[in-house]
Amino acid sequence: MGMKDQFQDKAEQLANQAKKRPGQDRDRRDEASARSSRTQDGIRERGSQSEDSERRRQEAQHRIDQDYDA
């Protein structure tokens, strides 16, 4: 098989892949969008968890401070 044949075969493979791609690109974008949404939700959830833990830490510190005042 000569170099010309190899390049032609590769060009045909790439052309076939390109024909199959339009639907796949849409699916990939949908998947990426879904992953992004899950990531955003996770960040929001972690943010609220850290706010809760910060509030609990402050409350515990306040109780300790009150114990020293008594």
Side-chain angles (χ1 to χ4, degrees):
M1 185 182 261
M3 286 184 63
K4 181 180 177 183
D5 294 330
Q6 289 176 348
F7 282 110
Q8 280 183 325
D9 289 345
K10 186 65 174 180
E12 288 174 11
Q13 287 175 349
L14 293 174
N16 289 335
Q17 285 178 354
K19 288 177 185 175
K20 292 178 184 177
R21 248 186 219 158
Q24 291 177 350
D25 286 344
R26 188 177 316 115
D27 293 341
R28 288 181 186 155
R29 276 185 260 134
D30 292 344
E31 289 174 14
S33 177
R35 280 194 306 271
S36 176
S37 295
R38 286 192 301 267
T39 302
Q40 293 288 334
D41 292 343
I43 290 170
R44 282 188 208 109
E45 187 175 304
R46 276 184 253 131
S48 65
Q49 287 174 351
S50 63
E51 290 171 4
D52 288 343
S53 63
E54 178 64 22
R55 181 182 47 80
R56 283 190 223 121
R57 187 194 64 74
Q58 288 176 351
E59 289 172 353
Q61 184 64 43
H62 182 68
R63 284 192 298 273
I64 292 170
D65 291 343
Q66 286 179 339
D67 289 341
Y68 282 120
D69 291 342

